[in-house]
Amino acid sequence: MALIGSVETLKDLAIGVVITSVLFAITLQSPVLGFFCTVIIPLPTMFCRAKHGRTIGMVVPAIALLALAPLLGGISIDLLYFFELVFCGFVLYELFVLRLSVEKTVALTSAVTLAVGLFIVFVYSTTTAAGLGQLVSDYVRRNLEASLRLYVSMGVPADTIRPIEEALDGIQYVLVRIVPALSVSAALFLSWTSLLLARPLLRGYRLFYPDFGRLNLWKAPEPLVWSVIGCGLMLIIPEHTVKLFGINGLLILMTIYFFQGIAIISFYFEKKHFPRLLRIVLYSLIALQQIVLLIVVGLGFFDMWLNFRKLGVEKN
């Protein structure tokens, strides 16, 4: 029996490492497919942690990191980013075991992942000639230039690309200054999607998954709206630093209200019995179309007054 157990463990370990490595390789090569692969990368680590315990859960990301390091030219920002993805899956399941509320689970997973990631990036920056600020600025620049090359390969007209090239310095300037909000939002989004995707995976294999209740009934705390108003007021204050705080705060709050907007959409998908394939198509549209995404954020924000799901309303 012990031999059977060890063979199964090795099999799951090998599958977890291969899937994790392949997903990250796709993420590096294809920005569009990479978006969808990114949210799946934490799952193999989470699965092995749930099925085989803490030690095997740590082995999966460790082996995947060692396998990918030579392909990425040693330690790099991309490798550190990959570490954060798999580390998120590990931390998330550790918090599952504590049976916390869904808000605390997502918030703590995001906070721990960000704190460890920031520490690692800071240590890495000390080993290079550039400081932390220059490291981030260079990374943003490389990604912007990679995006332009992608547009060219997709056949986007030169007249469309030229204004972007001319405004590249300005775009870089803005993005570097909203990196804090983008990092927090990305961590929240990764934790939230991993939590949702883990449910069918873990329950399908009869592994532990906490009972968070019906997540499509979730709503943000009502006092949070005052934070939105406060950040909005910061934007009209002439002081540059205050405006930066305001825009960073708004971006983070938009992520939270996006979760509430998606909960509303999921509620009506379930209520109207939308086919699974149609749901996947519509969710993909939300992920890829910024205008639709902003509409979802608006749904979440105005739900406090309009109560789209009619929560707490008794019917005769």
Side-chain angles (χ1 to χ4, degrees):
M1 293 296 292
L3 180 60
I4 295 175
S6 61
V7 170
E8 184 180 2
T9 300
L10 289 173
K11 179 183 175 183
D12 290 339
L13 183 61
I15 293 173
V17 170
V18 170
I19 292 176
T20 303
S21 302
V22 169
L23 287 173
F24 189 66
I26 294 173
T27 301
L28 292 176
Q29 296 299 320
S30 174
V32 177
L33 290 177
F35 173 80
F36 296 99
C37 291
T38 296
V39 299
I40 305 174
I41 288 175
L43 297 183
T45 298
M46 191 187 306
F47 175 80
C48 289
R49 164 64 185 91
K51 187 174 181 180
H52 300 290
R54 187 173 288 118
T55 302
I56 299 299
M58 290 188 291
V59 169
V60 170
I63 296 178
L65 282 167
L66 290 174
L68 287 168
L71 299 176
L72 297 173
I75 298 176
S76 63
I77 291 292
D78 288 326
L79 190 66
L80 299 178
Y81 172 62
F82 170 72
F83 170 78
E84 280 202 73
L85 295 178
V86 292
F87 182 67
C88 175
F90 184 83
V91 173
L92 187 59
Y93 195 82
E94 290 293 326
L95 293 173
F96 279 178
V97 176
L98 297 179
R99 301 174 186 268
L100 303 175
S101 66
V102 65
E103 293 89 354
K104 288 182 179 179
T105 300
V106 171
L108 285 174
T109 301
S110 304
V112 172
T113 303
L114 278 173
V116 172
L118 180 61
F119 175 75
I120 292 174
V121 171
F122 176 76
V123 172
Y124 173 70
S125 69
T126 61
T127 64
T128 63
L132 180 60
Q134 188 62 44
L135 190 70
V136 172
S137 181
D138 291 344
Y139 184 73
V140 170
R141 184 75 182 196
R142 286 198 302 272
N143 279 275
L144 287 173
E145 291 172 349
S147 298
L148 283 176
R149 290 194 295 270
L150 176 65
Y151 294 154
V152 173
S153 65
M154 292 171 61
V156 176
D159 292 340
T160 303
I161 295 177
R162 193 176 300 110
I164 301 176
E165 288 180 329
E166 294 171 354
L168 206 62
D169 291 337
I171 296 172
Q172 179 186 0
Y173 177 86
V174 173
L175 286 178
V176 168
R177 279 149 184 80
I178 61 173
V179 159
L182 296 178
S183 301
V184 173
S185 297
L188 288 171
F189 183 79
L190 181 65
S191 302
W192 174 73
T193 50
S194 298
L195 182 143
L196 295 180
L197 294 173
R199 180 176 178 176
L201 174 65
L202 297 180
R203 290 189 173 178
Y205 283 89
R206 297 183 179 179
L207 299 172
F208 172 72
Y209 182 87
D211 182 14
F212 291 122
R214 292 184 61 189
L215 293 178
N216 58 10
L217 299 180
W218 182 84
K219 61 186 302 184
E222 291 188 1
L224 202 64
V225 70
W226 293 107
S227 299
V228 177
I229 295 171
C231 290
L233 291 175
M234 286 183 183
L235 297 181
I236 64 176
I237 296 176
E239 178 61 37
H240 180 69
T241 305
V242 176
K243 284 187 175 182
L244 278 179
F245 274 106
I247 189 64
N248 277 274
L250 275 179
L251 288 172
I252 295 171
L253 292 167
M254 284 173 65
T255 305
I256 296 173
Y257 282 108
F258 170 78
F259 297 159
Q260 184 165 332
I262 285 290
I264 295 169
I265 291 172
S266 174
F267 175 84
Y268 281 102
F269 281 176
E270 182 181 299
K271 184 176 180 180
K272 302 299 182 182
H273 305 290
F274 274 46
R276 184 179 298 273
L277 181 60
L278 180 58
R279 296 186 192 192
I280 293 173
V281 171
L282 292 175
Y283 283 136
S284 301
L285 179 66
I286 292 170
L288 297 174
Q289 290 293 327
Q290 291 87 349
I291 295 177
V292 181
L293 188 146
L294 289 174
I295 292 173
V296 174
V297 173
L299 278 177
F301 180 71
F302 290 105
D303 185 50
M304 190 185 79
W305 295 282
L306 301 177
N307 194 10
F308 294 110
R309 292 164 289 184
K310 301 296 183 284
L311 301 181
V313 177
E314 296 184 4
K315 295 182 179 181
N316 294 326

